[in-house]
Amino acid sequence: MNADLFIPRSLDEALSVVQTHGAGLLVMGGGTMMMAHINEGIFFPQKVMSLARAGLSGVYRNGHTQIGATTHLAEVSQIADYPILAEAAYQIGGPAIRNMGTIGGNLYMPQPAGDLAVPLLVYDAHVELASPSGSRTVSLEDFLAEPRSHRGVHELLVAVHLPNPSGHTAYLKLGRREANTPSVVAVGVRIVMDRQGLVNEARIALGASGPFAFRAKNAEAALIGQSLNTKSIADTAQIAMEESNPFTDALATAWYRRRMVGVFVKRTLEQLTK
Amino acid sequence: MESITVTFKLNGKTTAVAIEPLESLRTVLREHLHLHATKAGCGQGGCGSCTVLVNGEPVLSCLMLAALADGQEITTLEGIGTPQHMHPLQAAFFDRFAAQCGYCSPGMIMAAKALLDKNPHPNRAEIAEALAGNLCRCTGYVTILDAIEDVVTQMQEA
Ligand SMILES: Cc1cc2nc3c(=O)[nH]c(=O)nc-3n(C[C@H](O)[C@H](O)[C@H](O)COP(=O)(O)OP(=O)(O)OC[C@H]3O[C@@H](n4cnc5c(N)ncnc54)[C@H](O)[C@@H]3O)c2cc1C
Ligand code: FES
Ligand code: FES
């Protein structure tokens, strides 16, 4: 296995590796998925770059919150002011996976993995990307919808940006067992109420319920101006089910996933009434 | 690029080893350094049998580029006890029959050690959470939890 390994010490160095070798380069954040593929012989990369030493890790606060791309899931699980992001990170893998996997890598994972996208959509996250020719910041929603491949890199995810949180949130992940298991479905919600107790702002994000994690916008719209009650919750769950576009894999059928979207949207919203 | 040399502290001893760029830490430990306690299970991050400590934190050595071990402190099962001088966790696994085939035991013990080093008084649920990434096909886990609880009790009494 002859290959070139690059371990850049800064973002600038990493970008110059991208510029020179981008076409045939494989990038690793924590490598939890990439190493598994290399071990399995799915990939025989000639050129690999690990971002582990590129100085892209850490949580910074400066009017808003910025989480570096290589921040480990273990550290993300400690970010107390974004409780459902911390919760979702804690529910990934076991302690060792959380010490290795990164938030940036998580956002490139194909469904049903990529659990952090659900709470991050709920918090209106943006992602900052850098390429040798410049940088761009896009909403996570748009980023997730972009086509991608593991091979050939032209830009790097540098950081995730989060506005200050408002409202009440809940997150639930359904797995086949209690821990260390991929999502059958994952649901995150955030509701901001007005003084009359009516929903002013709603976010409902679904994971493992489509080709990528997404906001169920019809379901969100249905909640605006309503109080959270048995009927409004049931109606919203029904709309979210209709909006989902799940898949069948070894964990669950599309049929089951769609029903669980309904059940888990209902349960997350019910948590907010308590 | 042919091979690269990495230098790390392995079980307290400074160790330099020539590796291929994409080799995992697990391969380097087992095949270059002949330390076989760290098991080669799934290679996919799924079983935990390759768990070692890097700077005191549990990681899966099958998923870690050995090149990233450079400058770090690595602890494997061989570094925490010997048959003559067992670590309390090793002794407790022995006393409680927490190892049947024993394949998972090194990973279980390293994951448990990482927990106890941080939180010397975990309850049973916290112990189970710390072992969430470690699979055992034999014991049904009860004896493993019992063994670790024994060590917690011993430490409370000491
Ligand atoms: C046992 C086990 C359990 C798991 N459980 C879960 C789970 O419950 N939920 C879940 O969501 N995931 C799970 N995973 C998958 C994975 O470990 C996590 O999603 C992790 O966060 C991936 O991050 P990474 O940095 O290790 O990814 P890597 O393997 O390093 O990279 C993944 C992809 O992202 C790209 N990439 C990484 N960083 C960047 C960057 N900064 N810029 C551009 N591209 C980048 C890589 O090129 C690659 O395509 C599990 C994995 C294992 C082995
Ligand atoms: S061999 Fe590393 S987790 Fe299974
Ligand atoms: S004792 Fe056999 S796998 Fe645990």
Side-chain angles (χ1 to χ4, degrees):
Chain A
M1 224 191 340
N2 235 336
D4 287 328
L5 174 63
F6 303 95
I7 308 178
R9 302 285 154 165
S10 68
L11 176 59
D12 283 348
E13 245 184 71
L15 289 174
S16 76
V17 175
V18 169
Q19 179 147 40
T20 319
H21 303 285
L25 190 67
L26 185 149
V27 173
M28 287 188 193
T32 56
M33 182 177 84
M34 291 292 104
M35 282 298 281
H37 284 0
I38 291 170
N39 290 342
E40 190 72 5
I42 295 173
F43 293 164
F44 290 97
Q46 296 300 306
K47 289 170 183 172
V48 174
M49 173 167 73
S50 166
L51 296 175
R53 305 281 179 263
L56 295 177
S57 159
V59 181
Y60 304 95
R61 288 179 174 82
N62 165 20
H64 74 295
T65 297
Q66 173 178 340
I67 307 171
T70 59
T71 306
H72 288 136
L73 302 174
E75 191 176 347
V76 176
S77 75
Q78 306 289 325
I79 304 177
D81 39 347
Y82 296 88
I84 67 167
L85 174 62
E87 176 64 28
Y90 189 75
Q91 287 192 32
I92 293 175
I97 285 286
R98 295 194 291 275
N99 285 333
M100 306 180 81
T102 67
I103 186 171
N106 193 265
L107 294 179
Y108 282 89
M109 292 294 290
Q111 299 275 285
D115 286 340
L116 295 186
V118 171
L120 289 172
L121 285 170
V122 162
Y123 288 124
D124 294 335
H126 282 66
V127 294
E128 182 185 336
L129 299 138
S131 75
S133 57
S135 66
R136 63 181 181 125
T137 298
V138 290
S139 71
L140 176 62
E141 212 182 332
D142 291 344
F143 172 74
L144 292 171
E146 290 173 5
R148 58 182 53 135
S149 92
H150 302 308
R151 226 68 83 74
V153 179
H154 59 97
E155 62 182 355
L156 300 173
L157 200 157
V158 175
V160 175
H161 296 272
L162 292 168
N164 289 328
S166 60
H168 296 282
T169 53
Y171 172 80
L172 287 171
K173 165 175 169 170
L174 171 65
R176 292 288 299 265
R177 53 181 183 181
E178 257 186 66
N180 197 16
T181 187
S183 291
V184 171
V185 296
V187 177
V189 297
R190 181 167 65 87
I191 300 293
V192 183
M193 297 279 196
D194 66 15
R195 295 205 177 165
Q196 283 82 48
L198 302 179
V199 174
N200 210 352
E201 208 182 309
R203 294 287 180 277
I204 300 175
L206 306 179
S209 312
F212 42 82
F214 65 98
R215 275 174 56 189
K217 289 195 175 164
N218 296 341
E220 289 175 357
L223 267 183
I224 302 295
Q226 308 275 329
S227 67
L228 278 186
N229 57 47
T230 313
K231 176 163 182 340
S232 69
I233 290 176
D235 290 348
T236 305
Q238 178 64 35
I239 296 169
M241 253 169 78
E242 286 161 12
E243 245 179 315
S244 69
N245 178 21
F247 48 89
T248 294
D249 64 5
L251 292 166
T253 59
W255 181 92
Y256 181 67
R257 281 198 158 97
R258 190 187 298 278
R259 269 143 195 85
M260 290 306 106
V261 166
V263 171
F264 280 78
V265 167
K266 177 167 171 282
R267 287 188 190 169
T268 45
L269 290 173
E270 279 170 357
Q271 282 192 2
L272 300 186
T273 64
K274 282 167 195 150
Chain B
M1 199 186 288
E2 287 292 289
S3 68
I4 48 181
T5 301
V6 292
T7 308
F8 46 83
K9 216 167 215 176
L10 176 59
N11 298 329
K13 257 196 269 167
T14 301
T15 306
V17 54
I19 65 163
E20 286 178 38
L22 297 188
E23 277 180 314
S24 68
L25 178 61
R26 182 190 76 181
T27 301
V28 169
L29 290 170
R30 290 177 56 85
E31 292 173 22
H32 297 242
L33 300 166
H34 307 291
L35 293 175
H36 295 130
T38 303
K39 293 291 173 273
C42 63
Q44 300 293 297
C47 73
S49 71
C50 66
T51 305
V52 302
L53 306 188
V54 176
N55 305 327
E57 299 287 346
V59 308
L60 302 171
S61 61
C62 71
L63 297 184
M64 179 170 163
L65 281 169
L68 294 176
D70 196 61
Q72 315 295 309
E73 234 172 90
I74 315 291
T75 311
T76 69
L77 188 81
E78 288 94 342
I80 70 167
T82 63
Q84 290 72 38
H85 299 282
M86 283 193 273
H87 185 277
L89 280 165
Q90 292 171 309
F93 268 58
F94 182 81
D95 292 340
R96 283 284 188 170
F97 301 101
Q100 285 183 25
C101 79
Y103 200 85
C104 69
S105 312
M108 289 283 180
I109 291 173
M110 296 317 284
K113 181 175 188 308
L115 169 69
L116 298 186
D117 287 349
K118 267 207 198 134
N119 173 9
H121 307 301
N123 61 34
R124 204 167 166 98
E126 289 168 330
I127 298 171
E129 279 182 38
L131 301 182
N134 296 74
L135 300 185
C136 176
R137 318 192 310 167
C138 307
T139 63
Y141 302 98
V142 172
T143 51
I144 293 174
L145 296 172
D146 289 346
I148 298 167
E149 270 190 334
D150 277 3
V151 178
V152 173
T153 312
Q154 288 161 25
M155 291 196 309
Q156 269 162 344
E157 285 163 0

